Amino acid sequence: MIPVRLFAGAATAALVVALSSSAHAAPVVAQGDCARAQEVADMAEKDYDDMVKWYKDLVAQGGHPGIVGDQAVADAKADRDRTASQAQRICGA
């Protein structure tokens, strides 16, 4: 029989991989397309918020997201920051 902790760890790793691979790969936005740039930045912000919520929920339930979970949150944050910066440059705000 598979120990519960091992099963929970494997399930967590599989979930993180699924979440991070399904995250929006922020597309390149044309220089004059402010509305699209803002839309992409908003999607990246939502992805980041969802990832942080998942992370905190997992920790609150006694789980540990491990290196994969930490990296998924860091990647979502980097994507959020990059797309927000891109939107700011394109929109001139």
Side-chain angles (χ1 to χ4, degrees):
M1 182 166 185
I2 300 175
V4 174
R5 287 187 181 259
L6 177 62
F7 178 74
T12 298
L15 178 63
V16 169
V17 169
L19 286 173
S20 62
S21 66
S22 69
H24 303 284
V28 176
V29 179
Q31 189 61 24
D33 196 353
C34 179
R36 178 69 178 142
Q38 190 59 50
E39 180 183 334
V40 170
D42 291 344
M43 286 189 312
E45 179 77 26
K46 184 181 180 324
D47 287 346
Y48 173 72
D49 292 344
D50 290 346
M51 188 63 69
V52 169
K53 181 184 180 310
W54 167 82
Y55 188 97
K56 288 179 178 180
D57 288 348
L58 181 65
V59 171
Q61 294 172 11
H64 190 284
I67 295 171
V68 174
D70 294 341
Q71 188 62 50
V73 172
D75 290 346
K77 182 179 187 298
D79 195 36
R80 179 201 66 178
D81 294 346
R82 183 180 53 75
T83 57
S85 177
Q86 181 182 34
Q88 188 174 22
R89 278 193 312 274
I90 290 173
C91 297

